[in-house]
Amino acid sequence: MPVQTLIEHLKSHGAEYRCLSHPPGFTAHSLAHHCNVPGDQVAKTVIIELDGRMAMLVMPASFRIRWDRMMDVLNTDFVELADEADFTDRFPDCEVGAMPPFGNLFGMTAYCSETLAEQPEITFAAGSHTEAMQIRTRDYLALAQPVVISQGFIRPGARRPAWLAGKPGRPRKAG
C-alpha cells in the first residue's frame, strides 16, 4: 500500500504528517475540495519527459505549466507531458494520477514550484484517489529534495505583469 510506504519514510526521518481519507477525487482540484485545503497548498504531481528521461513537476493545484518558460528554466529544447503508459511501472503501488510528489523515492528528479515551496504545509495524493497526506512544507523539501524553480508555471486567469501588458507574446531570441 503506497500510503504505508510513505508513512514509514516520513516516520524514519521524524517528519510529522496527517493522513486524510476522502471521497474519490481524480484531480488536484477535487483533492483540495475534499480535504478543504486551498488549491495553492495542494501539490499536483505531473510526470514529464525531459530530454528523453522522466522527471516530476510538483506545483500548486491552482497552477498550470507554461511550457515555453519551462523549457527555458530547465534549459532544454524538449519537454512534454509523459504518456501514462510510459511511467506507470515506475509507480507500481500507485493509482495513475495519484503519485505522491517524492521523485527521489521513484528514481526521478522532481522540480517544485517556488509558490508551493513557500506554503506553510502541503497536501498531496498518497498513491490512491481516496488517500492524501499533509505535511509541513519544510519537511517535504528536506525529504524529497526537489529542485525549486520560480518560473514555468502560471495561475490561470492571472494578470500579466505591468511590464508585459499590451505585448502579444514573449520576444524570441534571435538566432
Side-chain angles (χ1 to χ4, degrees):
M1 173 180 259
V3 75
Q4 192 57 42
T5 303
L6 279 172
I7 288 171
E8 291 169 12
H9 181 67
L10 296 175
K11 278 185 178 180
S12 71
H13 290 87
E16 294 179 19
Y17 62 90
R18 245 179 48 180
C19 292
L20 307 168
S21 293
H22 57 84
F26 297 93
T27 66
H29 286 289
S30 63
L31 178 63
H33 172 75
H34 290 314
C35 295
N36 198 27
V37 176
D40 284 355
Q41 291 181 3
V42 172
K44 175 169 45 175
T45 301
V46 178
I47 308 302
I48 60 169
E49 189 171 333
L50 175 63
D51 290 330
R53 62 182 168 80
M54 296 287 171
M56 182 180 284
L57 294 178
V58 183
M59 68 187 105
S62 53
F63 279 52
R64 290 188 335 221
I65 300 166
R66 177 75 190 262
W67 293 104
D68 58 336
R69 292 204 181 137
M70 188 61 67
M71 287 190 307
D72 288 346
V73 168
L74 300 179
N75 194 28
T76 184
D77 292 327
F78 182 79
V79 61
E80 69 178 356
L81 195 60
D83 188 304
E84 289 177 354
D86 294 335
F87 66 79
T88 53
D89 61 330
R90 297 200 71 177
F91 303 92
D93 296 327
C94 297
E95 295 175 8
V96 175
M99 296 83 61
F102 289 82
N104 58 337
L105 296 181
F106 301 100
M108 62 179 64
T109 302
Y111 297 92
C112 180
S113 163
E114 181 179 64
T115 302
L116 186 67
E118 292 172 346
Q119 299 300 318
E121 60 185 19
I122 62 170
T123 301
F124 54 88
S128 83
H129 295 292
T130 59
E131 297 174 294
M133 294 188 88
Q134 194 170 63
I135 64 172
R136 290 185 303 228
T137 305
R138 69 174 179 243
D139 290 338
Y140 165 71
L141 295 171
L143 294 175
Q145 299 180 337
V147 177
V148 177
I149 56 177
S150 61
Q151 295 182 27
F153 306 99
I154 188 167
R155 182 189 311 269
R159 291 173 33 136
R160 295 177 86 175
W163 62 274
L164 277 179
K167 294 183 181 181
R170 192 171 142 231
R172 295 284 173 200
K173 296 177 187 172

